[in-house]
């Protein structure tokens, strides 16, 4: 029995079938938890299912004896019902070979769409992503690719670009007012320096209470950053990546995480045992993964569920 996660119950089942190399009728599915979107990013967690492989002996098998008995029973039934239900007489015209050829050709052409349709239905299960969400890229269907291609082929007019930039700037200004009101409730008086681009917005707090705004292990500043991203998403600027910083905390934290990744890798190589790091937000886990991606002696993956999801460093096999 293994527990798998996904954005939906179907995605979790598909991920489990992919990893176990089984089909849907070869496993038993138990839904542990439904996916929850949460509110403003809080209380969100993926769907969880437990898959149990059904033993091969449990699958119903038709023995030759039972097949023979079934055939005999069907023959007996047919012979019994024949007098009461006479079969219609079918006259075969002279052009039977031609009609048979046309019929077989039509049957073949009709079977092709059904086969392709079955493949299209089975394709999402085979494309299920079972890698760690911190490292894997989201699955892109052919429909998504075609839409993206159409969008890339259709250039935006200068008026559309200017309107979009103006809307993004308005959203960022509203976000600054919102964040300053939030930190004021925390007892922190601060100003904001904004570095704003087409797809990013870096907001740097200028305050004398840096420690209170950062919080233990950066929990306060990370929570504010998640809240800021949700705010931008609800204001139609989901493509803008928001980063909150104070007193160059992000740069110092990145350097600390790189040193932590290197020291943990050395420990794993020396002891041969895997090491669980402290829970981190997704963007910090990605730094650990990226730092050790080219290390030929260790590998990294994540376990757990946010906000307690943590990086595991283990020996590469």
């Amino acid at each position: 029995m293994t527990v798998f996660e996904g954005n939906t119950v179907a995605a979790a089942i598909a991920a489990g079938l992919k990893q176990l190399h089984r089909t849907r009728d070869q496993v038993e599915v138990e839904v542990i938890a439904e996916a929850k979107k949460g509110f403003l990013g809080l209380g969100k967690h993926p769907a969880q299912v437990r898959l149990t492989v059904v033993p091969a002996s449990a699958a119903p098998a038709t023995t030759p004896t039972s097949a023979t008995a079934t055939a005999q029973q069907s023959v007996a039934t047919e012979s019994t019902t024949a007098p009461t239900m006479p079969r219609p007489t079918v006259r075969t015209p002279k052009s039977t070979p031609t009609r048979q050829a046309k019929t077989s050709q039509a049957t073949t052409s009709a079977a092709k769409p059904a086969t392709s349709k079955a493949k299209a239905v089975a394709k999402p299960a085979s494309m299920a992503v079972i890698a760690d969400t911190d490292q894997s890229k989201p699955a892109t269907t052919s429909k998504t690719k075609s839409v993206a291609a159409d969008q890339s082929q259709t250039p935006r007019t200068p008026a559309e670009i200017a309107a979009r930039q103006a809307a993004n700037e308005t959203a960022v200004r509203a976000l600054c007012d919102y964040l300053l009101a939030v930190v004021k409730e925390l007892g922190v008086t601060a100003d904001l320096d904004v570095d704003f681009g087409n797809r990013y917005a870096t907001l740097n707090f200028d305050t004398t209470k840096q420690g209170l705004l950062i919080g233990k292990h950066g929990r306060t500043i990370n929570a504010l950053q998640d809240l800021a991203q949700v705010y931008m998403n609800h204001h139609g600027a989901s493509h803008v990546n928001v980063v909150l910083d104070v007193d160059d905390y992000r740069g110092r934290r990145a350097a600390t995480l790189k040193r932590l990744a290197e020291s943990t890798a050395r420990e794993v190589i020396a002891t041969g045992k895997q090491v669980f790091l402290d829970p981190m937000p997704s963007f910090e886990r990605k730094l650990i993964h990226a730092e050790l991606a080219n290390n030929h002696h260790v590998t990294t993956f994540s376990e757990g569920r946010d906000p307690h999801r943590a990086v595991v460093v283990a020996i590469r096999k």
Side-chain angles (χ1 to χ4, degrees):
M1 297 185 296
T2 309
V3 177
F4 299 92
E5 296 182 351
N7 293 333
T8 61
V9 173
I13 295 174
L17 295 178
K18 179 65 176 179
Q19 183 171 347
L20 297 176
H21 303 287
R22 293 292 189 274
T23 59
R24 180 63 180 82
D25 56 352
Q26 293 177 338
V27 298
E28 293 182 355
V29 179
E30 177 185 354
V31 179
I32 300 177
E34 297 284 347
K36 291 186 178 181
K37 297 182 179 179
F39 178 73
L40 295 180
L42 302 177
K44 176 182 178 182
H45 63 80
Q48 288 186 328
V49 298
R50 179 181 288 111
L51 300 186
T52 304
V53 179
V54 179
S57 59
T62 305
T63 60
T65 305
S66 61
T68 305
T70 304
Q72 292 176 354
Q73 184 178 0
S74 63
V75 172
T77 304
E78 182 178 357
S79 62
T80 304
T81 58
T84 57
M85 297 180 63
R87 295 183 178 179
T89 304
V90 180
R91 295 182 180 180
T92 306
K94 295 182 180 180
S95 58
T96 301
T98 305
R99 283 199 170 188
Q100 289 179 349
K102 291 183 178 180
T103 304
S104 61
Q105 184 178 3
T107 305
T108 305
S109 61
K112 287 182 179 179
T115 305
S116 61
K117 183 177 181 181
K119 290 182 179 179
V121 172
K123 189 174 182 180
S126 64
M127 293 175 63
V129 180
I130 61 174
D132 180 23
T133 55
D134 301 332
Q135 298 172 327
S136 59
K137 296 181 179 179
T140 305
T141 60
S142 58
K143 184 177 180 180
T144 306
K145 290 182 179 179
S146 62
V147 172
D150 295 340
Q151 292 178 351
S152 61
Q153 292 176 359
T154 305
R156 294 180 179 272
T157 62
E160 292 176 344
I161 296 175
R164 183 171 184 178
Q165 290 178 348
N168 292 343
E169 184 176 354
T170 301
V172 171
R173 290 182 182 275
L175 174 63
C176 292
D177 296 336
Y178 173 71
L179 290 176
L180 290 176
V182 171
V183 298
K184 185 177 181 180
E185 295 296 328
L186 298 176
V188 177
T189 303
D191 293 328
L192 273 174
D193 296 330
V194 181
D195 182 12
F196 174 60
N198 186 27
R199 292 187 174 273
Y200 73 92
T202 302
L203 281 64
N204 190 9
F205 286 96
D206 183 11
T207 179
T208 58
K209 298 181 179 180
Q210 297 92 342
L212 182 60
L213 192 57
I214 293 173
K216 185 178 180 181
H217 300 303
R219 292 174 183 172
T220 303
I221 194 70
N222 290 340
L224 288 173
Q225 181 168 298
D226 292 339
L227 191 62
Q229 190 64 64
V230 172
Y231 186 94
M232 293 295 287
N233 295 347
H234 281 279
H235 284 73
S238 58
H239 59 282
V240 178
N241 185 34
V242 181
V243 176
L244 300 187
D245 198 3
V246 54
D247 195 24
D248 194 29
Y249 169 74
R250 296 301 180 190
R252 291 184 282 111
R253 179 63 175 168
T256 301
L257 291 176
K258 290 181 180 180
R259 292 194 298 270
L260 175 63
E262 294 173 357
S263 62
T264 304
R266 288 194 295 268
E267 179 182 352
V268 171
I269 295 172
T271 62
K273 298 180 180 179
Q274 62 183 14
V275 175
F276 287 76
L277 301 179
D278 292 333
M280 303 176 188
S282 60
F283 60 89
E284 290 188 351
R285 296 197 302 267
K286 289 179 181 179
L287 287 175
I288 302 292
H289 292 311
E291 184 67 21
L292 298 179
N294 297 325
N295 193 309
H296 301 293
H297 304 287
V298 298
T299 183
T300 61
F301 56 93
S302 294
E303 285 191 357
R305 188 172 62 186
D306 287 328
H308 306 293
R309 192 167 177 82
V311 175
V312 183
V313 184
I315 289 290
R316 186 184 295 273
K317 297 180 180 179

